[in-house]
Amino acid sequence: MSLPVIPKIWTNPQTTVELMRAAGDNLLNIIPLSSLENGYTCFPNRFRSTHVISDPDHLKFILRDNADDFPKAKSMKIILDPVIDQSIFITHGKKWHGQHKNMISVFNWRNIQAFEEPIRTITDNFVGKNIDKFIDKSDLTFPMQDLTFDIIAQILLGTTSNPHFDKLRELFETYLERVVPTRLIDFFTLSFKYFPNIRNFTERKIIEEFQNVGDAIIDERLAEQPPKTPDFLEHLLTAYDCRNAPSSRKKNEVRDNLITFLVAGHETTAMTISWALYAAGYFKEAQDKIRAEHNEPLAKRVYTEAFLHETMRIYPAAPLLVREAAEKTNIGETNVKAREGIILPIIALHRHRKYWDNPDEFMPERFTNGFKPAPYTYLPFGAGPRVCIGMAMAMMEAKIILPAILNAIKINEPTHQPIATQTLTLRSKNGIKIEAELR
């Protein structure tokens, strides 16, 4: 039986320049094959080495036990700092802890549950009106992004038709295309602590537009009465007490978190569902099982959840995490210098030969019958205090969308072979395409 194409890692570059070029082409190329079998690999450098770690105990040490000692790497900040430097995703230490306290109140389960029915309604309406987009053999990425964008707009702003929000999406796609790809110059700038971020100069207009549009959304909301049914923007404004005691600092943090939730809330879910639909084409029985759960309460969509977990194992939205050591430290028996880079290859961890049976096979059944992966071997949402705060929302959304689409179409075995690549999320260079027909 044919199986879905799994992401390829490591193109075996031989020199530093080849490694830099490989990373510029596809960040998956820098994850060594040894990460599938071992827990540690090092890219040695006279000044500052890079450590690739896929040992669960060491991942726990970095992500949970000593999270404050391993901030986001400079490479990540070069890309995202100009746009969302005041967000919970980027901040660190005391500032992050303060934001996290606010976000816990925003992402409580009662707030999340309130959006289940709006998500169902938007999904059903979208699938009904756009069913042709799922059967015309074009790239699934685009209709899925349209759907998840409508959902995140409703969740964040209480409407699917805010012109400012549409502009934010347009800016995000432009930023993704022009700013996010790794460039050779980045490797040079990463070697010097005070070297300026060249992206700040070349893409200043996009960065300013991001901030201006985000500010306009917040200012317009503060000029209005609070909505009767609070959306996430209103929850954010309440958490930061912006209506009673507004300040530039508070508004900037709300703005950057709003943009963060826009990106994380629609891009990651869109790509997870796209990969799930692609994989479903190889498993007719799985499609039937997911369809059978379409009218079930979310708590009973057990097989759908298993299929999504297997999708996130093989196609994690965040294939690798990047950290750096704040100070000189030891990770196990490895000496790590201050500011040395640390790569956590989630996509390799999820296929590690030591922790998974048949690691390269797509087997949703592995997540049934109460199965739980060993600690720190399955991290689609990260782990520790900085685990994705929107995890429950993302899973609820995905468990609604996947059965709704499969209830409308039948997917045949794909002939298209996607080429997985990492931008901000795991996408495909040549699209994710299915061959489907109406049911």
Side-chain angles (χ1 to χ4, degrees):
M1 181 183 71
S2 299
L3 290 172
V5 174
I6 62 174
K8 180 181 178 182
I9 64 175
W10 191 240
T11 57
N12 197 31
Q14 300 296 316
T15 67
T16 301
V17 172
E18 287 179 359
L19 180 65
M20 292 158 63
R21 287 175 177 162
D25 177 60
N26 185 349
L27 278 173
L28 298 185
N29 292 343
I30 69 172
I31 300 175
L33 280 176
S34 58
S35 296
L36 296 173
E37 298 180 350
N38 304 320
Y40 174 77
T41 303
C42 181
F43 295 137
N45 184 286
R46 181 184 302 175
F47 303 104
R48 200 172 300 120
S49 298
T50 298
H51 309 271
V52 185
I53 296 175
S54 54
D55 177 272
D57 290 337
H58 296 163
L59 291 171
K60 175 176 172 288
F61 177 85
I62 294 166
L63 293 174
R64 193 191 79 172
D65 299 343
N66 301 275
D68 286 345
D69 297 330
F70 296 96
K72 297 285 173 72
K74 186 181 177 183
S75 57
M76 179 67 71
K77 292 183 178 181
I78 279 179
I79 295 172
L80 296 177
D81 255 7
V83 179
I84 56 170
D85 69 311
Q86 299 301 309
S87 75
I88 191 172
F89 188 76
I90 292 295
T91 53
H92 188 69
K94 184 178 179 180
K95 190 167 188 177
W96 177 86
H97 284 282
Q99 290 212 27
H100 187 254
K101 184 178 179 180
N102 287 336
M103 291 304 124
I104 290 296
S105 68
V106 173
F107 281 89
N108 67 63
W109 182 237
R110 183 178 62 182
N111 290 345
I112 291 171
Q113 281 184 307
F115 292 103
E116 180 179 340
E117 284 308 313
I119 292 172
R120 287 179 184 273
T121 300
I122 292 171
T123 299
D124 290 342
N125 290 341
F126 184 92
V127 173
K129 293 177 181 177
N130 297 276
I131 195 64
D132 289 347
K133 295 181 180 180
F134 295 98
I135 60 176
D136 64 0
K137 299 182 182 180
S138 60
D139 189 353
L140 274 178
T141 304
F142 300 111
M144 288 314 311
Q145 286 178 326
D146 290 340
L147 170 56
T148 57
F149 183 82
D150 282 351
I151 290 172
I152 199 63
Q154 182 69 40
I155 290 171
L156 290 177
L157 300 180
T159 176
T160 60
S161 58
N162 183 295
H164 293 309
F165 216 56
D166 292 337
K167 182 63 176 178
L168 280 179
R169 183 184 178 188
E170 178 187 325
L171 288 168
F172 166 67
E173 289 298 330
T174 303
Y175 196 74
L176 194 69
E177 179 182 341
R178 291 169 54 182
V179 183
V180 170
T182 306
R183 304 168 183 173
L184 292 180
I185 189 65
D186 295 334
F187 289 87
F188 179 75
T189 62
L190 288 174
S191 300
F192 298 91
K193 185 175 182 179
Y194 298 106
F195 197 92
N197 182 353
I198 291 177
R199 296 169 194 257
N200 286 357
F201 299 100
T202 59
E203 309 299 344
R204 180 173 295 278
K205 184 177 179 182
I206 297 176
I207 294 165
E208 289 178 350
E209 282 192 87
F210 252 124
Q211 295 173 339
N212 291 340
V213 174
D215 288 339
I217 291 173
I218 292 166
D219 289 340
E220 288 181 10
R221 173 59 67 85
L222 288 174
E224 302 169 350
Q225 291 296 315
K228 291 182 179 180
T229 302
D231 49 34
F232 261 51
L233 174 55
E234 198 61 37
H235 288 310
L236 276 172
L237 293 173
T238 299
Y240 281 91
D241 198 28
C242 280
R243 287 197 177 274
N244 297 320
S247 68
S248 296
R249 178 189 63 80
K250 291 179 181 179
K251 289 168 66 176
N252 287 346
E253 290 189 16
V254 171
R255 177 199 66 206
D256 287 3
N257 281 306
L258 184 72
I259 294 172
T260 299
F261 299 149
L262 160 67
V263 174
H266 99 276
E267 170 73 7
T268 54
T269 304
M271 296 317 304
T272 296
I273 299 296
S274 296
W275 287 112
L277 290 170
Y278 161 73
Y282 292 88
F283 304 98
K284 302 296 187 294
E285 222 176 275
Q287 292 183 50
D288 291 337
K289 290 179 180 180
I290 294 170
R291 285 189 198 103
E293 294 181 345
H294 177 239
N295 293 318
E296 294 288 344
L298 290 186
K300 292 187 177 182
R301 298 188 179 190
V302 178
Y303 188 82
T304 299
E305 184 170 322
F307 197 91
L308 289 165
H309 278 305
E310 184 69 344
T311 299
M312 292 186 291
R313 186 183 73 84
I314 296 289
Y315 309 103
L320 57 86
L321 305 177
V322 285
R323 298 287 190 268
E324 64 181 36
E327 305 291 343
K328 180 180 178 181
T329 188
N330 291 324
I331 301 176
E333 298 180 354
T334 302
N335 298 319
V336 179
K337 298 178 184 176
R339 295 184 54 240
E340 284 193 327
I342 298 169
I343 296 175
L344 311 179
I346 304 303
I347 198 167
L349 175 72
H350 287 183
R351 288 159 48 195
H352 200 288
R353 277 57 179 136
K354 185 177 179 180
Y355 310 118
W356 297 92
D357 296 329
N358 304 309
D360 291 334
E361 291 189 25
F362 192 96
M363 298 168 55
E365 288 73 18
R366 76 171 80 237
F367 283 97
T368 58
N369 299 320
F371 167 77
K372 290 185 178 180
Y376 289 84
T377 62
Y378 178 66
L379 306 176
F381 295 101
R386 297 193 73 128
V387 67
C388 175
I389 200 165
M391 175 173 59
M393 174 71 77
M395 285 304 298
M396 181 177 77
E397 187 178 347
K399 286 168 69 174
I400 291 171
I401 294 173
L402 185 60
I405 294 175
L406 287 177
N407 193 54
I409 62 173
K410 179 178 73 173
I411 306 176
N412 300 315
E413 184 171 320
T415 57
H416 172 79
Q417 295 193 338
I419 302 172
T421 183
Q422 175 164 0
T423 52
L424 282 180
T425 56
L426 188 73
R427 288 191 171 193
S428 171
K429 285 187 176 182
N430 58 342
I432 302 174
K433 302 176 183 180
I434 58 173
E435 298 184 16
E437 55 190 86
L438 292 175
R439 293 187 65 236

